[in-house]
Every structure is written in structure tokens, then in C-alpha cells.
Amino acid sequence: MKISLDIGKAQLNKVGEELCGDSIEVVKTRSSTIVVLSDGLGSGVKAHILSSLTTKTAATMLRMGGEIEDVIETIAHTLPTCKVRKLAYSTFTILQVQDSGRAYLVEYDNPRAILGYGPQLKEISRSQRVIGEKKVSEAFFDLVEGDWLVLVSDGVVHAGIGGLLDRGWGQEGVQAFLLEMAAKNREASVWAGELIERCRQLYAGRPGDDASAVVVRAVSPRRVTVLIGPPQDRSTDALVVEKLVRSPGVKVVCGGTTGNIVARLLGKKIEVDLSTRSERVPPVGFIEGIDLVTEGTLTVLYALEHLRQEVPFETLQKAKDGASRLAATLLWADVIHFIVGLAVNPAGEYNYKRQTIEQLIGLLRKKGKEVTAEYL
């Protein structure tokens, strides 16, 4: 894996509408990330249904290995052009980025995606072709660490039209704002949120159209190492702890005994934060130099449950308990390495623990994570 993607998205509903007529779908596969932004004709419920159908169809077909021709033809047959207004029922932008950084961009009647590197814009060489009776623009290019790409619906470029800005914000106005954001080097979610907030201001708090933005930043892969349980051979304790400490990225320790071993060998104190205790999960601990310290089997089991139930990352991130924090850390990561101790505890829970860990590894791989494990 050469790069990882930091993706942020934000939306603004047209004044008086409960649902946004734009839809955004982000799907991670084992080797790529797919982003689809669609703008449904009109606004409200009907537009939301049309755009949702477009994003889910495209994302699902591409995730299953479908060719872009088949995707667009399926959308074309499902959502024909409005015969009265001569407009597409749903416009879309599709971005697929391989873990190598190779990107494929398809645009149909949406504003052009904006590519940059740091505080500078980069050109995207596009070509035109007709697929399923629709004239689409497509491009192939490589993303490198530091690149950013922004997809928007027309409610963004039209912000302020007829009000604060006679002709609307426009593509150049959006680009200038993005360059300001790029100079601050903030997270993608912050970019997207501030971009849509500026749209709200330009609309004077009464948006005349739905507005959506997706910000994609190419960053170095996010790595996590998780040590679960002490090793079978006590003489290797120091080796295991050294391996954890020297690992790149975020470091996690699961298990009370394991935490005590790590603290002792690092010459640090282990402290327990009782405010993080929940009805089901024991409290988390703190060891200087370790990013997260939790209880063992129960915490891992409930973290697995959170991932199976697809609890949103934002929800997990806000929670204090160890299982939520572990699940959030694993969702955040791109590359995860498990160091699993084979020592059998007095309760004889080893087989159950290993089964839980293997289920966790399998689920993370299905979510597109690069996962390795070693047993000691």
C-alpha cells in the first residue's frame, strides 16, 4: 500500500427540505476506494431517491468488479433523461483510487473535480466519450502523498447566485477557497465542513439548492499494532514488548496481564481511568508511550460486535469505553498488525480468545484493511 485516503464529506439541504437531493457513497475494497457523488434532479425526497439509487448502483457494481461501461449503461437504463426538461434525472461523479495511487475519474454533468498538491492546483487531463448514450468525461492519473481532490455538486459552484454574488461562487471562487484550505493542511472532514459552511454563508442561510462536497486527501498509510495477551514463553516478554514499541504508528495493548508486563518492562506506571468504565466493558488504562490500553477478551469481543453492527466511526470516536475506542482505532487504520500471545490464562479462555481474534481479523480484511498477525 503506497497511499491512504483521508476522506471528508459534508452536505447542505435546500431551504425547506428535510432530505438532501444529493447523495454520497464511499466504499472500501481490498485494493481500492470508490467514491460516488450524485445530484438528483430537483430537490427533496424525489431527488434524494434518484441520487441514492445512482450512488448505490455505481458503488455496488464497481465493488463487485463491474466495468465502468456496465455501470453507466445500468444507470442510463435505470434513470433515463427527462423528456420535458431534457435533463438527466441524476448526474454523477465517480472516483476509484487503487492502493497504489492510480486513480480513475468519471464525470457526468457534475462540476469538474478539482485536483491540487499542497497550495497549488494540478491539471487533470480528461477525455470525452459516449457510454450508454451519455457523454461522459473520464481521466486516469496518479495520486501521490500530499495530493488532494475535491468533488462538488452544482449547489456549491452556484452558491450566492442572485444574492451575495450575482453569478454565484463559480469554479474559480471554489478553487481559491480550496487553496486557502490547502495551505492550512487540515483534515479532509474539516475541509468539507468549512467548504459547505461557506456555501451556507453565500446563500445567506437560505440555500437555493442542495450542496455537497467530498474532499479526498492522499496521505501515508495509517498503521496500528495491537498486542493481545502475553507470549507463551515468558522469556520472550522483553522481545515482544520491544517489537511493539518499535512498530510504526499507533500502539495498542489489550489485556490486564499484558498491560502489566508492558508497563514493567518499560519502567512506567499503569493507571486506570475509571471514567471510561461501562456496564459491559472494563475501564481503559494508560501507559506512557502506548496509545491505547484496554482489558482483553471482553473488550475485543465487544469491539468485534461494534464492527459487525457497522456502528459509525464518528459514534465510536466520541465514546469513552475501551471497546468503542478499540473499534474506532481499527476502523481508522489502513494497515494493522496483531501480535497475539499464546499463554493460557487461569480461566482457560485461550481458544475462545483466539477464535474471537480470528473473526476480527477476517472482518477487518473484508473491510479492505491490510491485516497481518503473528502468534507467540
Side-chain angles (χ1 to χ4, degrees):
M1 179 180 290
K2 291 186 178 180
I3 64 165
S4 174
L5 299 181
D6 173 25
I7 300 177
K9 52 187 178 178
Q11 295 183 288
L12 178 65
N13 295 3
K14 181 179 178 180
V15 63
E17 299 291 356
E18 294 185 7
L19 291 175
C20 185
D22 304 337
S23 293
I24 299 169
E25 192 82 8
V26 179
V27 174
K28 184 77 173 72
T29 71
R30 289 192 175 185
S31 60
S32 71
T33 300
I34 301 162
V35 181
V36 187
L37 168 62
S38 177
D39 183 350
L41 181 63
S43 60
V45 175
K46 182 179 178 181
H48 178 76
I49 292 173
L50 293 170
S51 63
S52 294
L53 184 58
T54 300
T55 55
K56 292 188 180 299
T57 298
T60 301
M61 290 184 68
L62 289 171
R63 180 178 57 192
M64 297 176 66
E67 298 293 333
I68 191 64
E69 290 84 358
D70 296 330
V71 173
I72 294 177
E73 285 182 5
T74 299
I75 294 173
H77 289 308
T78 306
L79 301 172
T81 301
C82 175
K83 295 180 180 179
V84 177
R85 299 174 63 182
K86 304 299 181 182
L87 296 172
Y89 273 109
S90 182
T91 64
F92 55 82
T93 303
I94 300 172
L95 172 69
Q96 184 168 25
V97 183
Q98 304 294 328
D99 290 344
S100 64
R102 188 62 174 168
Y104 175 51
L105 177 70
V106 182
E107 298 164 314
Y108 174 63
D109 279 2
N110 266 348
R112 285 190 160 198
I114 302 168
L115 175 65
Y117 176 83
Q120 294 181 332
L121 294 177
K122 293 176 70 173
E123 288 292 330
I124 299 177
S125 180
R126 295 171 168 86
S127 60
Q128 308 289 325
R129 66 169 167 147
V130 176
I131 303 177
E133 299 183 355
K134 294 186 183 295
K135 188 177 181 180
V136 303
S137 168
E138 64 179 355
F140 294 88
F141 52 95
D142 292 304
L143 288 177
V144 298
E145 187 176 340
D147 279 347
W148 50 266
L149 185 70
V150 180
L151 319 179
V152 299
S153 64
D154 59 11
V156 173
V157 296
H158 293 161
I161 194 167
L164 295 179
L165 301 171
D166 289 339
R167 298 182 180 179
W169 201 4
Q171 189 86 356
E172 291 185 0
V174 176
Q175 289 177 176
F177 180 82
L178 292 175
L179 290 178
E180 292 178 14
M181 292 297 301
K184 298 176 183 178
N185 194 29
R186 295 180 176 175
E187 293 183 352
S189 59
V190 176
W191 281 45
E194 294 202 13
L195 177 60
I196 292 302
E197 178 57 31
R198 179 62 62 89
C199 290
R200 187 192 306 276
Q201 295 169 2
L202 293 174
Y203 279 120
R206 297 183 62 80
D209 193 5
D210 302 299
S212 298
V214 183
V215 177
V216 179
R217 296 176 63 240
V219 298
S220 59
R222 295 166 291 198
R223 300 177 182 274
V224 172
T225 299
V226 185
L227 172 60
I228 305 179
Q232 189 174 38
D233 183 353
R234 292 184 179 180
S235 67
T236 63
D237 283 357
L239 177 65
V240 171
V241 172
E242 183 181 5
K243 182 174 292 192
L244 172 69
V245 171
R246 289 190 176 184
S247 64
V250 173
K251 301 165 183 57
V252 179
V253 173
C254 297
T257 302
T258 313
N260 288 327
I261 292 172
V262 172
R264 173 173 54 81
L265 290 173
L266 293 181
K268 306 292 183 180
K269 292 182 179 180
I270 183 169
E271 300 176 2
V272 177
D273 184 355
L274 295 177
S275 69
T276 63
R277 180 172 50 192
S278 70
E279 293 182 0
R280 301 192 303 175
V281 184
V284 302
F286 173 77
I287 302 173
E288 185 181 345
I290 305 298
D291 298 282
L292 178 62
V293 181
T294 76
E295 180 272 342
T297 305
L298 270 180
T299 300
V300 174
L301 177 63
Y302 286 124
L304 173 61
E305 183 178 303
H306 288 326
L307 296 175
R308 279 177 172 163
Q309 294 176 352
E310 298 187 344
V311 177
F313 174 74
E314 293 78 10
T315 302
L316 295 170
Q317 203 174 25
K318 293 176 183 177
K320 291 184 177 181
D321 69 277
S324 296
R325 291 173 64 178
L326 176 60
T329 300
L330 296 175
L331 276 180
W332 169 85
D334 303 298
V335 181
I336 305 167
H337 180 62
F338 286 95
I339 304 174
V340 184
L342 299 179
V344 180
N345 64 20
E349 297 175 345
Y350 170 70
N351 289 332
Y352 179 66
K353 181 181 75 173
R354 180 159 184 172
Q355 183 180 27
T356 301
I357 294 169
E358 289 177 350
Q359 290 174 357
L360 179 61
I361 290 172
L363 181 58
L364 290 169
R365 285 175 175 162
K366 286 183 179 179
K367 290 182 178 294
K369 311 293 184 182
E370 183 179 313
V371 187
T372 55
E374 60 180 315
Y375 298 84
L376 301 171

